[in-house]
Amino acid sequence: MLVFIVKRVLNAAGVMLAVAALAFATFRFVGDPVEMMLNEQASLSQRQELRERLGLDRSLPAQYAAFVVNAAQGDFGISYRNQQDVFPLIVERFPATFELVIVATVLSLLIGLPLGVYTAIHRRSAFAQLLQWVSVLGVSLPSFAVGILFILVFSVSLGWLPAFGRGQVVQLGWWSTGFLTKSGLTALILPGITLSQCQITLVMRLVRAEMLEVMRTDFVRFARARGLPERAVRFRHALRNCLMPVITVTGLQVGNLIAFALVTETVFQWPGMGLLFVQAVSFVDIPVMAAYLMVVSAVFVAVNMLVDLTYGLVDPRLRQDAVTGGGHGK
Amino acid sequence: MPLRPRPFVAAALAVLIGFAAPALEAKTLRWGAAREIASLDPYSFGETFTLSVLNHVYEGLVRYTGDLKIEPALAERWENPTPTTWRFHLRRGVTFHNGDAFTADDVVASLARVSHPSSPLRGNLPAYRSATKVDDFTVDIEVAEPYPLLLNDLTNIFILGQKWMAANNALLPTDSGTGVEGYATTHANGTGPFKVDSRRPDAQTVFSRNERWWDKPAHNIDRIEFTPITSAATRVAALLSGEIDFTNVAPLQDLPRLSAAPGVKVLQTNELRTVFFAFNMRDALVESDVRNANPFRDPRVRNALYRAVDANAVQRRVMRGLSRTTGSLVAPAIPGYVPALDERPSFDAEAARKLLAEAGYPNGFSFLMNCTNDSLVNEEELCQAVASMWSRIGLRPVLNIGPRSQQTPKRVKGEFDVIPFGWANEPQIDAYSLLLQVMRTRNAAGGVFNWGSWGDARIDTLIDRAGTELDPAKRIPLMTEALTLAKQDTLFIPVHQQPMAWATRQAVRSIVQASDNKPRLWLTVLD
């Protein structure tokens, strides 16, 4: 187990170095931060001076090396735009993004799992067909369009839910949470659904496909032959065997959701990391962009690792002590 | 028992109501802006919008009125003992939000901080040399040479408290080069009409009324809730649903919808920013079928391009009837403007074709147009429309459109043949800004934005004279003359002053909308 973790951590370091290298290769194309930081009146020499002080006159490999050395010591530099240490800036916004992603993930499981089971079991019913059709719509509609549509319906026309922001948040140490106030919870609804939209479809289609597969296998037939009630066959035997890929995908998607929450965050002015990144891009705030990419890739790597570890818990075959574990329906 | 008046109870009730009423009716303005302010530190990022928001908390020695005239603020009056010395007499009895008294020490410490080598706002005080305290309420500012625009520059230099900065280790500005953070980035202590109550970046910053403000408030706001809403559609929705009362950036395409909505009022006018086309005037074009020559150096060619632009069509179609078509390079509110500058040669494609033929290009030529899609209003549509007008006289413009952050470095390097260019003359609100920074041939002090090597020795002389002339009666005609020379030579092709739009809900009774597009909420009255 220890070897496995050490290997994974080394792997992660390699991935992050590569991400940083790619990031620095692209920063050259996003523009010149000096033009953004100084206003119209600054003279040419003042511009050049600032460029030198920021180290932007150095070659790309030199800038990259300096970043890696500093980042290894936990120093990501200071945001050009906010003039604040980058790491706290991102950490401060992490709870907002994370809570949104958790809500979206839970919603996708709560809605996607039952729908998937339903469409698999009653796959010829008209309602299941309709769900299938709607789900195609779900993956093909871009989330910013859905978000705006939700805002128009639920905020402007009906006036039920807020159009933007996180509502009242409660500070628990460094973590700010919206789960503890009414306005915080209502503010989570629209962005949560918007972010989970694709995810619901994904879970539903995955569960459906897996269920159809498993329902055809021998052990389900034998379970039926043993006279087990249909409910037990479906949920205890079939569904449980479907959960592996669902966990894998949901887990991997958490990383994705964190990374792609930026669209939802921009639409709903959700004060998370994605919004910070989008603004950093438009102001060529290189330290923030670099640190954000590092954080997101770290999350990806960590989630991958967690998923691998969870496999062991769900699938007895992967446990070393599986021999004593026992079979289905224990 | 006969009813008797109960004077005590009545008085108690009156007192209660008297105290309770204002508390119950705390007047709150919920402001939805298009972006977040960079910092609470007014010297950390040279961005007009951030400074305009911080101006509610911090003040300068002087300030602009609602119609953009300079008036005393923290300084009561000033004089010039010598042409290079400005003596400011400070206002007495002013206190900072934390209770410290405002004195000359604060002014000297603030000027030292803003002119420090690591301050991004240093360029806002180009002529500044030093500041010395004469007594507690008098400060002398030395400038390098006689300089007429010091007051204009000082409107943007906000005063921080010396004691407060010293106590919080913030006497020096922040520095992203060496990683120096600052207390003032997240805390504020000014003298202005509002103080900062709380701040959650990207979510909400709350300002409350400063009861001890030195000026007699023209506003009746108790509390401002400032929220950035980056997405335009969401901002409009928030205004329609009543979640915000005011936005200083109402998207132009949504104006009809906003005006039609009950309870929403649209305020639309033209801003100071004037848009014009500028040329690459170097020896050769960057991307063209004409080699080893630059057709744009011929005034007839520039004139042909000018006459081929149908400004009315641009105004109607591209700008939805909201822009102000102009022949001038500066807006009417800018000193240096005269109505004669505003005349345009008539739109005449036939005459344009003739001019091109006379200049030796009867079949036109190709050139590179560098445009952005995110800095000027409808810039992409503007470029497409004008490019097609130029195609109609036989030219072959090649459009290159991208985000500002990508296009600007190319422009700085001169990798363009034609660009649309917008200049607002802020923060000085004086034509000298355009003349020095854009039009002048490059030297140590000016021509930073002279990206295409345009310019003219006669114009340079006029600019330099205007730069040291203290008497406005002589200085302004010098600038007008420079602008007139540029017009006669068609150095640039002026198009329009951009539209700007704000929107408010009923809660806002009156608001001052100046053409510098800066909200001044200390002049706003709520219902």
Side-chain angles (χ1 to χ4, degrees):
Chain A
M1 196 56 162
L2 191 69
V3 178
F4 171 76
I5 291 177
V6 170
K7 257 192 192 165
R8 273 312 181 117
V9 169
L10 285 178
N11 230 333
V15 167
M16 288 173 67
L17 276 177
V19 169
L22 280 176
F24 268 80
T26 52
F27 287 160
R28 202 151 40 118
F29 300 106
V30 292
D32 182 0
V34 171
E35 296 298 329
M36 300 284 165
M37 291 173 77
L38 297 179
N39 64 12
E40 284 86 345
Q41 277 177 292
S43 69
L44 280 177
S45 60
Q46 284 169 353
R47 278 161 211 269
Q48 188 52 33
E49 215 173 285
L50 179 61
R51 198 163 284 127
E52 278 162 23
R53 278 195 304 110
L54 296 178
L56 295 168
D57 54 335
R58 290 174 298 173
S59 72
L60 216 57
Q63 289 186 41
Y64 172 61
F67 172 77
V68 169
V69 169
N70 289 334
Q73 300 161 355
D75 176 14
F76 288 91
I78 280 199
S79 154
Y80 294 162
R81 177 165 156 78
N82 304 95
Q83 302 278 312
Q84 270 173 291
D85 227 337
V86 165
F87 203 66
L89 213 58
I90 291 180
V91 166
E92 187 180 84
R93 284 162 177 81
F94 183 75
T97 301
F98 193 71
E99 288 191 349
L100 182 61
V101 167
I102 290 299
V103 166
T105 305
V106 169
L107 275 178
S108 69
L109 291 176
L110 280 183
I111 302 173
L113 268 178
L115 287 185
V117 172
Y118 179 86
T119 48
I121 294 171
H122 310 279
R123 73 192 153 111
R124 295 199 200 289
S125 81
F127 185 59
Q129 301 279 336
L130 180 75
L131 281 176
Q132 282 283 88
W133 185 78
V134 170
S135 73
V136 175
L137 212 65
V139 279
S140 33
L141 275 177
S143 56
F144 65 87
V146 174
I148 298 284
L149 192 73
F150 280 159
I151 291 177
L152 288 180
V153 174
F154 293 102
S155 307
V156 179
S157 300
L158 298 172
W160 291 349
L161 296 166
F164 66 91
R166 240 187 130 188
Q168 285 285 333
V169 292
V170 176
Q171 208 68 32
L172 303 171
W174 65 274
W175 190 276
S176 66
T177 179
F179 286 140
L180 299 177
T181 61
K182 191 168 160 260
S183 70
L185 286 171
T186 48
L188 269 163
I189 298 174
L190 289 186
I193 296 178
T194 307
L195 185 60
S196 66
Q197 168 222 158
C198 275
Q199 191 75 3
I200 293 174
T201 307
L202 195 73
V203 170
M204 175 189 136
R205 306 204 124 214
L206 192 67
V207 170
R208 176 178 182 273
E210 289 290 322
M211 277 291 273
L212 289 176
E213 191 74 21
V214 174
M215 292 299 274
R216 276 200 293 269
T217 53
D218 285 345
F219 80 86
V220 170
R221 207 169 301 154
F222 283 125
R224 283 203 178 115
R226 265 160 68 200
L228 291 180
E230 191 62 23
R231 251 183 81 85
V233 174
R234 283 175 187 166
F235 292 98
R236 202 189 285 170
H237 293 243
L239 182 60
R240 203 171 164 199
N241 274 282
C242 296
L243 287 183
M244 275 280 285
V246 174
I247 288 174
T248 315
V249 169
T250 307
L252 293 179
Q253 284 295 111
V254 166
N256 254 341
L257 285 179
I258 287 181
F260 294 113
L262 63 88
V263 176
T264 308
E265 288 183 6
T266 314
V267 171
F268 289 96
Q269 190 62 30
W270 192 261
M273 298 191 301
L275 190 63
L276 180 73
F277 179 70
V278 169
Q279 289 175 22
V281 170
S282 54
F283 286 95
V284 203
D285 198 339
I286 291 175
V288 172
M289 287 194 276
Y292 171 82
L293 292 173
M294 288 294 96
V295 167
V296 167
S297 59
V299 168
F300 258 96
V301 171
V303 163
N304 265 313
M305 208 154 100
L306 277 179
V307 168
D308 284 353
L309 292 175
T310 331
Y311 264 23
L313 299 178
V314 180
D315 189 340
R317 284 171 299 182
L318 294 182
R319 273 200 301 254
Q320 287 215 314
D321 54 353
V323 194
T324 58
H328 301 288
K330 195 179 73 169
Chain B
M1 195 172 114
L3 275 172
R4 289 216 318 263
R6 292 173 170 177
F8 173 74
V9 174
L13 266 177
V15 167
L16 267 178
I17 292 167
F19 279 121
L24 283 176
E25 285 177 53
K27 290 193 190 297
T28 302
L29 179 76
R30 293 163 303 167
W31 173 4
R35 61 168 178 254
E36 179 59 289
I37 54 173
S39 161
L40 286 179
D41 185 342
Y43 304 163
S44 73
F45 196 79
E47 184 192 43
T48 311
F49 176 66
T50 295
L51 291 176
S52 77
V53 174
L54 291 179
N55 204 176
H56 292 80
V57 178
Y58 288 106
E59 296 169 298
L61 292 177
V62 288
R63 67 179 177 192
Y64 286 115
T65 62
D67 42 9
L68 304 183
K69 301 277 178 284
I70 290 175
E71 69 174 1
L74 292 181
E76 271 180 323
R77 60 201 161 82
W78 48 86
E79 72 241 356
N80 290 98
T82 74
T84 56
T85 309
W86 291 71
R87 175 160 291 184
F88 287 91
H89 300 277
L90 306 181
R91 194 177 292 280
R92 287 157 200 260
V94 176
T95 52
F96 285 93
H97 297 156
N98 71 349
D100 288 347
F102 162 71
T103 67
D105 292 327
D106 303 316
V107 177
V108 173
S110 296
L111 288 171
R113 187 175 193 263
V114 77
S115 59
H116 187 271
S118 72
S119 154
L121 251 78
R122 184 160 59 121
N124 275 25
L125 276 179
Y128 173 83
R129 186 163 276 172
S130 66
T132 37
K133 171 181 172 179
V134 178
D135 61 45
D136 269 356
F137 292 98
T138 315
V139 173
D140 278 354
I141 296 182
E142 286 290 329
V143 287
E145 54 185 352
Y147 179 65
L149 293 165
L150 185 69
L151 293 178
N152 303 50
D153 291 341
L154 285 174
T155 56
N156 233 14
I157 305 297
F158 302 152
I159 303 300
L160 285 70
Q162 189 267 342
K163 277 191 209 127
W164 180 77
M165 288 193 288
N168 296 301
N169 194 21
L171 281 167
L172 293 182
T174 53
D175 183 353
S176 25
T178 54
V180 178
E181 283 190 280
Y183 183 79
T185 305
T186 47
H187 300 79
N189 178 38
T191 57
F194 296 94
K195 34 189 183 183
V196 178
D197 271 6
S198 65
R199 171 161 164 81
R200 279 188 293 135
D202 287 339
Q204 195 177 63
T205 304
V206 178
F207 303 91
S208 69
R209 168 203 281 265
N210 173 12
E211 301 287 356
R212 289 182 296 177
W213 191 33
W214 56 269
D215 199 3
K216 188 173 172 293
H219 72 90
N220 64 347
I221 303 175
D222 295 310
R223 181 181 159 92
I224 301 172
E225 293 174 7
F226 171 89
T227 307
I229 307 179
T230 329
S231 152
T234 312
R235 199 159 60 245
V236 169
L239 192 74
L240 291 174
S241 67
E243 288 170 76
I244 57 173
D245 306 308
F246 163 60
T247 178
N248 61 318
V249 187
L252 294 184
Q253 72 269 18
D254 291 318
L255 294 188
R257 190 157 140 246
L258 283 172
S259 324
V264 177
K265 202 163 91 188
V266 169
L267 295 102
Q268 197 268 318
T269 182
N270 295 106
E271 58 173 30
L272 295 176
R273 194 172 301 275
T274 301
V275 175
F276 49 88
F277 283 94
F279 302 98
N280 164 15
M281 300 276 257
R282 291 190 176 78
D283 292 337
L285 292 181
V286 171
E287 200 177 304
S288 173
D289 44 15
V290 178
R291 313 249 173 237
N292 308 322
N294 185 345
F296 292 138
R297 284 202 167 174
D298 187 330
R300 286 172 297 188
V301 173
R302 299 197 297 269
N303 214 352
L305 267 75
Y306 198 165
R307 303 206 70 178
V309 174
D310 183 354
N312 288 330
V314 169
Q315 203 263 355
R316 261 183 289 115
R317 302 231 180 83
V318 179
M319 307 307 286
R320 296 164 209 263
L322 299 173
S323 62
R324 177 184 179 278
T325 301
T326 186
S328 163
L329 295 168
V330 294
I334 303 281
Y337 170 91
V338 289
L341 286 170
D342 231 340
E343 283 158 23
R344 293 176 63 91
S346 59
F347 159 63
D348 188 341
E350 203 42 57
R353 248 184 240 112
K354 255 188 219 138
L355 280 165
L356 273 188
E358 270 175 43
Y361 302 100
N363 300 318
F365 56 91
S366 67
F367 57 89
L368 177 69
M369 261 176 100
N370 169 314
C371 299
T372 83
N373 49 23
D374 57 358
S375 47
L376 302 175
V377 175
N378 296 349
E379 183 170 347
E380 196 169 349
E381 292 89 334
L382 172 69
C383 281
Q384 283 160 347
V386 171
S388 80
M389 290 170 189
W390 284 337
S391 304
R392 258 172 256 152
I393 61 164
L395 295 165
R396 291 178 293 283
V398 180
L399 272 176
N400 176 313
I401 301 177
R404 172 182 162 205
S405 53
Q406 284 178 19
Q407 299 297 74
T408 309
K410 294 187 212 162
R411 292 175 170 203
V412 172
K413 277 185 255 166
E415 289 172 12
F416 65 87
D417 294 321
V418 172
I419 47 169
F421 196 96
W423 198 261
N425 296 290
E426 280 181 65
Q428 291 179 328
I429 313 208
D430 192 278
Y432 186 66
S433 162
L434 173 87
L435 292 171
L436 179 73
Q437 302 288 2
V438 183
M439 217 183 276
R440 203 193 179 294
T441 315
R442 277 198 179 167
N443 67 351
V448 175
F449 291 83
N450 189 338
W451 292 331
S453 280
W454 47 74
D456 182 314
R458 294 168 302 161
I459 295 179
D460 290 352
T461 316
L462 288 166
I463 295 172
D464 293 347
R465 277 172 61 200
T468 51
E469 176 58 63
L470 291 177
D471 179 5
K474 291 186 192 141
R475 194 174 70 83
I476 293 170
L478 286 173
M479 299 196 297
T480 306
E481 202 184 331
L483 291 169
T484 310
L485 279 178
K487 184 183 177 67
Q488 284 164 357
D489 257 14
T490 323
L491 272 189
F492 306 97
I493 301 178
V495 184
H496 53 235
Q497 270 94 37
Q498 296 200 134
M500 60 182 244
W502 297 359
T504 59
R505 289 191 67 87
Q506 284 150 329
V508 181
R509 189 189 300 159
S510 74
I511 192 162
V512 173
Q513 186 189 34
S515 52
D516 64 353
N517 212 348
K518 290 181 184 172
R520 293 180 171 80
L521 295 180
W522 58 90
L523 302 174
T524 295
V525 180
L526 301 183
D527 256 337

